[in-house]
């Protein structure tokens, strides 16, 4: 059965963001505000459309729409409308921030959000929190909670719950036995076992575990949790179980409790109506009607008032008590989250590939053993980390934290040092974060490593550059553009900033445009005034930093036809310094990127001394992309293999790790 949309809010047909922005501006202009117009627009548009309205509002009036809404509206109505205007992850981030700010903690809010979000939603929440508050969500949660409650929240925050629908019957039986022994059969309780199983196994797997647990023990898992756990930890684990059984049912129950009895828990009501309106509100409505024998619509109508009530009813999307409105109980719909990837899928030409029969649990335990006690087993560390893909290494990091409550990177830093540490820690970082760190290091302290800046920014794809920008902002709370602006100058700065936008064209060649681009340089340019040379550098930058690779190859061919010079030769003759080096790197990368890196590797090991930083950076960054191609270019150009060059120029554990990455002797 295909996935079926179960939200109550849809994209508005005939949507015009400029028209909506103008209508909202008019509604807030002058004395008072037209609240009806505001609620009608905002509750009738999807979140994606609301973000477009925000952009149009800023473009048209130079003002922030959310700030204006906050100024014009008050109370619960303001909180609801402003919540709808934020992207979902940022709305969750704001709720979490409010829950842990000031004296006391709103544990119920933490439980509701962290127990119910998917892996992808959790990743987006963590990123949004970092972006909005320049703080680490995990660190803030740790600082505001304690004990087993804290440990489970941290596990959930990782967003690493298994998502495979293929379930092993043996593992189901094993988990049932482990939970039973950790609770009912044990004097005291092994909370860690509950945390590990309920925090990591897939929903499909756990539903079978719960069914089998009832058959084996004669009691539901919820009863065991209530009997064995206590306090906020008990409430959290019960919420996790409820969301695994049925997330819509969990929210239906939360909504009912928010409105039953005296008073209304408006923050809970607003948070759920906002966060579920485009996910599963129809399922929540149907379960609500079935379970409580009244519609969600009618309960909201009887429990709220004014524009606040009108807005909530629009988010509800219909009254299941009205004739013809009640739907049969919904079949469960499996919402599949897409996999995010910063790098486009390309033919695999790296030397490091995903390990077959990969087992992150076994790897995490082996690494822990290699670093535990006196001495360190460097061979085991090298063997595991150099023979796993980066994606697998990230799984190992998450598993290490889930198993041991420790940060693998910190443990590695304390156990290994020098060139080996730089290499191993580099391999453990996600590629974009590794590149961001290399750029940061290139700009730190006295002097700038212009070669490193050029190597990275001149060779990365648009997708890679954009990922680096995000990683840089996340890790250093400063945009890459601002960092480059403050650390470089002149045309070199302009070139780097242009490359750092990640906006290179991605189409094919255009012959007419290529001929026009190839006319950029008259041969006699060397004798022209410096102002003309500056103009020439600007023109080169416009072409080399923005045109697609296929198009630039055609430009280089046309350039030779017109001038009898290779464009690289011309750049070296006519320009100097960092500008020359940046343009040459771009040209070489366009012509043959593996050869460019082969040259860089050769130079890093040529002559007296070794440039370990460059050697490490290239071996780490290219091992899963094109290191096999680099090896072939290396042996063809220098009549020796990369393996031989590394063997003759490095030693010890650093040598072992490099040779493992190299992947073979040509």
């Amino acid at each position: 059965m295909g996935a079926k949309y179960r939200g109550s809010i849809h994209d508005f047909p005939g949507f015009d963001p400029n028209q909506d922005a103008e209508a909202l501006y008019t509604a807030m202009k002058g004395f008072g505000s037209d609240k009806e117009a505001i609620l009608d627009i905002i509750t009738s548009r999807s979140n994606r459309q609301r973000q477009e309205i925000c952009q149009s509002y800023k473009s048209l009036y130079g003002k922030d729409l959310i700030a204006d809404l906050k100024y014009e509206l008050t109370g619960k109505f303001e909180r609801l409308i402003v919540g709808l205007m934020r992207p979902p992850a940022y709305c969750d981030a704001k709720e979490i921030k409010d829950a842990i700010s000031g004296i006391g903690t709103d544990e119920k809010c933490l439980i509701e959000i962290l127990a119910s979000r998917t892996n992808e939603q959790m990743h987006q929440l963590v990123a949004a929190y970092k972006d909005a508050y320049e703080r680490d969500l995990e660190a803030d949660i740790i600082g505001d909670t304690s004990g087993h409650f804290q440990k489970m929240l941290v596990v959930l925050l990782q967003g690493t719950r298994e998502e495979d629908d293929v379930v092993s019957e043996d593992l189901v039986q094993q988990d049932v036995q482990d939970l039973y022994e950790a609770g009912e059969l044990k004097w005291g309780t092994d909370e860690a076992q509950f945390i590990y199983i309920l925090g990591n196994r897939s929903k499909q797997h756990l539903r079978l575990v719960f069914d089998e647990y009832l058959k084996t023990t004669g009691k539901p898992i919820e009863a065991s949790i209530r009997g064995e756990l206590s306090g906020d930890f008990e409430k959290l684990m019960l919420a996790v179980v409820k969301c695994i059984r049925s997330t819509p049912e969990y929210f239906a129950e939360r909504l009912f409790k928010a409105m039953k009895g005296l008073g209304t828990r408006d923050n809970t009501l607003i948070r759920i109506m906002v966060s579920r309106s485009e996910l599963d509100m129809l399922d929540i409505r149907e379960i609500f009607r079935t379970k409580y024998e009244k519609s969600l619509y009618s309960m909201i109508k009887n429990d709220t008032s004014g524009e606040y009530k009108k807005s909530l009813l629009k988010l509800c999307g219909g009254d299941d008590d009205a004739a013809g409105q009640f739907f049969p109980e919904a079949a469960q719909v499996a919402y599949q989250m897409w996999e995010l990837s910063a790098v486009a899928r390309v033919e695999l030409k790296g030397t490091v590939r995903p390990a077959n029969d990969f087992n992150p649990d076994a790897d995490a335990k082996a690494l822990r053993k290699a670093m535990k006690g006196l001495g360190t087993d460097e061979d085991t560390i090298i063997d595991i980390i150099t023979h796993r893909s980066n994606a697998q290494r990230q799984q190992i990091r998450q598993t290490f934290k889930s198993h041991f409550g420790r940060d693998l990177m910190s443990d590695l830093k304390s156990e290994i040092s020098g060139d080996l540490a730089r290499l191993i820690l580099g391999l453990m970082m996600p590629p974009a974060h590794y590149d961001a760190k290399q750029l940061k290091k290139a700009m730190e302290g006295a002097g700038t490593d212009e070669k490193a800046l050029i190597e990275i920014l001149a060779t990365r794809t648009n997708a890679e550059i954009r990922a680096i920008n995000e990683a840089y902002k996340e890790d250093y709370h400063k945009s890459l553009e601002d960092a480059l602006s403050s650390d470089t100058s002149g045309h070199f700065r302009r070139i780097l900033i242009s490359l750092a936008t990640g906006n290179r064209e991605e189409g094919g060649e255009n012959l007419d445009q290529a001929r026009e681009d190839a006319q950029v340089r008259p041969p006699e340019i060397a004798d022209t005034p410096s102002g003309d040379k500056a103009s020439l550098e600007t023109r080169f930058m416009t072409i080399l930093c923005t045109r697609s690779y296929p198009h630039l190859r055609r430009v280089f061919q046309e350039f030779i036809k017109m001038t009898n010079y290779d464009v690289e030769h011309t750049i070296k003759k006519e320009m100097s310094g960092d500008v020359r080096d940046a343009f040459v790197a771009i040209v070489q990368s366009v012509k043959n990127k593996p050869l460019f890196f082969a040259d860089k590797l050769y130079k890093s090991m040529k002559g007296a001394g070794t440039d370990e930083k460059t050697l490490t950076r290239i071996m780490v960054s290219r091992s899963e992309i094109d290191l096999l191609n680099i090896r072939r270019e290396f042996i063809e150009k220098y009549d020796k293999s990369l393996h031989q060059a590394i063997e003759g120029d490095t030693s010890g554990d650093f040598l072992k790790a490099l040779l493992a990455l190299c992947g073979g002797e040509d």
Side-chain angles (χ1 to χ4, degrees):
M1 191 166 84
K4 185 179 178 183
Y5 183 73
R6 300 297 294 167
S8 55
I9 299 296
H10 304 257
D11 280 342
F12 188 78
F15 172 63
D16 184 337
N18 287 336
Q19 184 177 315
D20 285 347
E22 290 169 7
L24 287 170
Y25 182 77
T26 302
M28 293 185 284
K29 198 175 179 183
F31 293 106
S33 55
D34 184 353
K35 296 180 178 63
E36 284 278 351
I38 293 170
L39 78 87
D40 184 65
I41 291 171
I42 292 175
T43 60
S44 300
R45 308 298 186 266
S46 66
N47 192 275
R48 179 188 64 79
Q49 291 175 330
R50 293 181 206 124
Q51 304 317 309
E52 290 188 51
I53 294 170
C54 277
Q55 293 170 0
S56 294
Y57 194 91
K58 181 161 277 187
S59 297
L60 290 170
Y61 306 109
K63 294 159 72 81
D64 183 78
L65 177 53
I66 290 179
D68 281 2
L69 288 167
K70 283 183 178 179
Y71 181 80
E72 291 292 331
L73 309 177
T74 58
K76 295 172 285 190
F77 181 51
E78 177 213 337
R79 188 177 178 91
L80 175 62
I81 293 298
V82 169
L84 288 167
M85 291 306 302
R86 290 192 177 100
Y90 285 82
C91 193
D92 279 349
K94 176 67 164 59
E95 293 293 324
I96 294 273
K97 188 71 167 64
D98 290 347
I100 59 179
S101 293
I103 299 172
T105 304
D106 184 353
E107 289 85 358
K108 289 181 179 178
C109 174
L110 295 181
I111 291 169
E112 178 194 301
I113 292 174
L114 299 184
S116 65
R117 297 323 190 235
T118 64
N119 286 346
E120 185 56 40
Q121 288 168 332
M122 202 70 81
H123 299 158
Q124 291 170 354
L125 163 60
V126 170
Y129 192 95
K130 174 79 78 171
D131 183 53
Y133 306 111
E134 296 188 351
R135 296 177 64 85
D136 182 72
L137 177 53
E138 182 180 322
D140 282 0
I141 292 287
I142 289 172
D144 213 66
T145 58
S146 61
H148 297 299
F149 178 62
Q150 176 197 92
K151 290 175 185 174
M152 185 60 177
L153 291 177
V154 169
V155 168
L156 294 172
L157 267 179
Q158 306 311 305
T160 53
R161 184 177 297 286
E162 296 162 0
E163 295 183 331
D164 192 354
D165 285 337
V166 178
V167 177
S168 162
E169 291 183 14
D170 290 342
L171 187 56
V172 168
Q173 293 294 339
Q174 184 63 54
D175 282 349
V176 169
Q177 190 63 31
D178 288 346
L179 288 171
Y180 193 40
E181 291 175 356
E184 300 287 339
L185 295 183
K186 189 178 178 68
W187 181 261
T189 306
D190 182 359
E191 291 88 354
Q193 196 69 266
F194 277 83
I195 290 171
Y196 178 71
I197 293 173
L198 294 181
N200 290 282
R201 299 289 193 238
S202 73
K203 286 191 171 186
Q204 183 64 24
H205 174 91
L206 285 172
R207 289 183 191 120
L208 294 178
V209 168
F210 299 161
D211 291 343
E212 202 59 37
Y213 190 92
L214 178 60
K215 293 177 189 175
T216 302
T217 68
K219 61 167 61 175
I221 188 69
E222 290 91 338
S224 290
I225 288 173
R226 290 189 183 98
E228 298 296 328
L229 312 179
S230 62
D232 293 322
F233 182 46
E234 174 196 339
K235 293 172 187 172
L236 173 58
M237 299 305 264
L238 288 172
V240 169
V241 170
K242 287 175 183 175
C243 287
I244 286 163
R245 290 194 185 278
S246 170
T247 303
E249 185 171 356
Y250 169 73
F251 282 113
E253 182 181 319
R254 291 280 294 160
L255 285 168
F256 180 75
K257 289 181 178 178
M259 292 182 283
K260 80 169 185 174
L262 293 174
T264 304
R265 296 170 183 82
D266 293 293
N267 287 354
T268 300
L269 179 56
I270 291 167
R271 187 169 57 243
I272 297 174
M273 296 301 291
V274 168
S275 66
R276 312 312 294 186
S277 59
E278 293 184 50
L279 294 176
D280 52 7
M281 185 57 69
L282 298 185
D283 292 333
I284 293 169
R285 271 171 45 184
E286 292 171 0
I287 291 169
F288 194 101
R289 178 67 180 78
T290 302
K291 192 167 185 176
Y292 301 112
E293 298 183 349
K294 65 170 71 177
S295 70
L296 176 60
Y297 187 100
S298 64
M299 198 160 183
I300 291 172
K301 190 174 181 180
N302 294 330
D303 215 60
T304 58
S305 60
E307 285 85 10
Y308 175 54
K309 175 174 76 174
K310 292 176 184 176
S311 299
L312 288 171
L313 292 178
K314 289 199 72 171
L315 292 181
C316 189
D319 184 1
D320 299 313
D321 284 338
Q325 287 296 308
F326 180 62
F327 302 100
E329 186 171 355
Q332 287 190 337
V333 178
Y335 292 101
Q336 295 182 339
M337 305 305 289
W338 62 92
E339 181 182 353
L340 295 179
S341 175
V343 183
R345 294 184 184 277
V346 295
E347 182 183 354
L348 189 62
K349 295 181 181 177
T351 54
V352 175
R353 297 175 175 84
N356 295 324
D357 301 321
F358 173 60
N359 185 336
D361 287 353
D363 285 347
K365 289 172 183 173
L367 287 170
R368 175 70 175 143
K369 184 179 178 183
M371 295 183 285
K372 201 172 180 182
L374 294 174
T376 304
D377 182 357
E378 286 89 354
D379 286 347
T380 295
I381 294 172
I382 291 167
D383 184 63
I384 292 174
I385 291 175
T386 60
H387 290 95
R388 305 295 184 269
S389 67
N390 193 274
Q392 290 176 333
R393 294 180 204 125
Q394 303 317 309
Q395 287 182 254
I396 295 170
R397 284 181 68 177
Q398 297 288 358
T399 302
F400 196 92
K401 178 165 280 189
S402 295
H403 274 316
F404 307 112
R406 300 171 64 90
D407 182 66
L408 177 55
M409 294 286 279
S410 298
D411 283 5
L412 287 168
K413 280 181 185 177
S414 68
E415 293 293 327
I416 55 178
S417 60
D419 294 327
L420 177 64
R422 274 193 291 271
L423 181 68
I424 294 297
L425 292 171
L427 289 168
M428 290 304 303
M429 295 179 73
H433 289 267
Y434 179 71
D435 278 346
K437 184 175 183 180
Q438 297 307 303
L439 291 169
K440 182 73 162 58
K441 282 182 171 291
M443 295 183 279
E444 275 180 345
T448 303
D449 185 351
E450 291 86 358
K451 290 181 179 178
L453 297 180
I454 292 168
E455 177 198 305
I456 295 170
L457 294 176
T459 60
R460 301 315 191 244
T461 65
N462 283 344
E464 289 168 337
I465 290 285
R466 290 167 191 155
I468 292 168
N469 274 289
E470 291 176 12
Y472 198 98
K473 184 69 179 289
E474 179 183 340
D475 292 345
Y476 307 112
H477 313 308
K478 182 177 184 179
S479 73
L480 176 56
E481 182 179 332
D482 288 345
L484 291 168
S485 294
S486 62
D487 208 69
T488 57
S489 60
H491 276 85
F492 182 57
R493 175 170 63 194
R494 292 174 60 202
I495 293 165
L496 294 180
I497 289 175
S498 179
L499 292 171
T501 62
N503 284 325
R504 182 180 295 283
E505 296 166 359
E506 295 186 338
E509 65 181 60
N510 179 322
L511 184 55
D512 292 336
Q513 182 66 56
R515 286 170 177 161
E516 183 180 334
D517 289 342
Q519 296 176 19
V520 64
R521 183 259 169 203
E524 64 277 13
I525 193 67
D527 300 322
T528 60
S530 60
D532 289 340
K533 183 167 289 191
S535 176
L536 173 72
E537 289 174 349
T538 299
R539 182 73 177 130
F540 262 80
M541 184 185 79
T542 301
I543 296 168
L544 292 179
C545 296
T546 65
R547 304 289 195 258
S548 71
Y549 272 30
H551 179 83
L552 283 174
R553 291 187 191 103
R554 174 63 70 179
V555 172
F556 299 163
Q557 291 171 347
E558 294 298 319
F559 188 92
I560 291 173
K561 288 180 187 176
M562 292 179 181
T563 66
N564 290 322
Y565 286 97
D566 179 77
V567 69
E568 186 177 336
H569 168 83
T570 300
I571 290 169
K572 288 176 178 176
K573 179 183 176 184
E574 304 294 347
M575 300 177 192
S576 60
D578 296 326
V579 170
R580 175 199 61 208
D581 293 344
F583 284 152
V584 167
I586 294 169
V587 170
Q588 290 177 344
S589 182
V590 170
K591 287 179 176 178
N592 186 335
K593 195 176 290 186
L595 179 58
F596 169 79
F597 282 114
D599 284 339
K600 294 279 287 181
L601 285 171
Y602 179 77
K603 289 173 184 174
S604 74
M605 295 181 281
K606 176 184 171 186
T610 304
D611 180 358
E612 289 89 355
K613 290 181 180 178
T614 299
L615 177 58
T616 299
R617 187 170 59 243
I618 295 174
M619 295 296 288
V620 168
S621 65
R622 310 314 294 183
S623 58
E624 290 184 61
I625 299 175
D626 54 4
L627 191 51
L628 186 60
N629 308 67
I630 292 168
R631 273 171 41 186
R632 291 168 182 164
E633 296 292 347
F634 194 100
I635 196 169
E636 186 171 334
K637 183 166 183 179
Y638 298 112
D639 293 323
K640 66 190 301 188
S641 70
L642 177 58
H643 189 281
Q644 289 171 329
I646 291 171
E647 204 168 31
D649 214 64
T650 58
S651 60
D653 292 321
F654 182 52
L655 167 65
K656 292 178 188 175
L658 287 172
L659 292 181
L661 287 182
C662 189
E665 166 67 275
D666 297 306

